[in-house]
Amino acid sequence: MRRFHFPLQTLLEVRSRREEWCAQRLAEAQRLVREQVRALGELRAALAEGRAALRRALGEGAGVGEVLLHLEHIQRLEVHIARAEVRLVELRAKEEEARKEYLEARRARRVVERLRERRWALYLQQVRREEAKLLDEVAIAAKNRELEG
């Protein structure tokens, strides 16, 4: 019996590598989103601290210069937060695109993989038939020898 040969093995390997590449791309996109969420959280915490510092300064009767410094700091943080939020939206869009590509690559691989599984099952079925045929031939030959002898 000849060995099992799947004519689309190269295609299956290419699709598997593409799926792995897409999975890595998705993981990187998810990492960037997590980092941006963390950075945004730090900026928001700094903004809350800046506002608290402004309230303390106002409560302690700080001068106009000090209050202006606090306000400028708060405004800079608000600008950074707005930019970070825009960046987060962009990163989430890229993450979603990477997720779709990964799912499509996985589906494409599975299509060829299922075909390979069906071919393998047919191959095994053929091997079993040939084994049964061989066993039948051996049994018939043994019976013929018994009848001759």
Side-chain angles (χ1 to χ4, degrees):
M1 179 78 205
R2 61 184 171 80
R3 338 181 301 129
F4 175 71
H5 172 70
F6 181 57
L8 300 176
Q9 185 62 38
T10 302
L11 178 62
L12 179 59
E13 290 168 6
V14 167
R15 288 192 176 177
S16 292
R17 282 193 296 274
R18 173 150 174 74
E19 180 185 8
E20 289 170 12
W21 179 82
C22 289
Q24 290 171 352
R25 189 170 174 254
L26 174 59
E28 177 64 12
Q30 290 171 331
R31 183 188 66 77
L32 291 173
V33 166
R34 281 191 309 273
E35 285 180 3
Q36 190 65 22
V37 166
R38 181 194 49 75
L40 189 56
E42 290 173 2
L43 285 171
R44 288 180 175 148
L47 178 62
E49 177 56 37
R51 287 179 175 158
L54 174 62
R55 281 191 294 277
R56 281 192 305 272
L58 288 172
E60 295 171 358
V64 173
E66 186 179 342
V67 170
L68 287 176
L69 283 175
H70 284 290
L71 288 174
E72 286 176 16
H73 178 67
I74 289 169
Q75 287 175 338
R76 277 193 307 276
L77 287 172
E78 288 171 342
V79 167
H80 287 306
I81 288 171
R83 288 181 184 154
E85 287 172 341
V86 167
R87 177 78 175 132
L88 181 58
V89 168
E90 292 169 352
L91 289 172
R92 283 191 169 141
K94 287 180 182 179
E95 177 188 23
E96 187 56 32
E97 178 185 321
R99 179 177 286 107
K100 286 178 184 176
E101 278 187 41
Y102 168 71
L103 292 174
E104 176 59 29
R106 186 174 72 178
R107 186 198 61 74
R109 177 195 47 85
R110 282 295 297 151
V111 165
V112 179
E113 200 170 72
R114 281 192 295 273
L115 181 58
R116 183 182 191 282
E117 290 166 0
R118 278 189 236 124
R119 291 274 179 103
W120 175 251
L122 289 173
Y123 171 79
L124 289 179
Q125 190 178 34
Q126 184 180 2
V127 166
R128 287 184 192 113
R129 267 192 306 247
E130 288 182 14
E131 286 175 351
K133 183 179 175 183
L134 181 62
L135 290 174
D136 288 346
E137 289 174 5
V138 168
I140 289 171
K143 188 66 170 173
N144 286 339
R145 277 193 307 270
E146 183 181 306
L147 291 175
E148 291 173 359

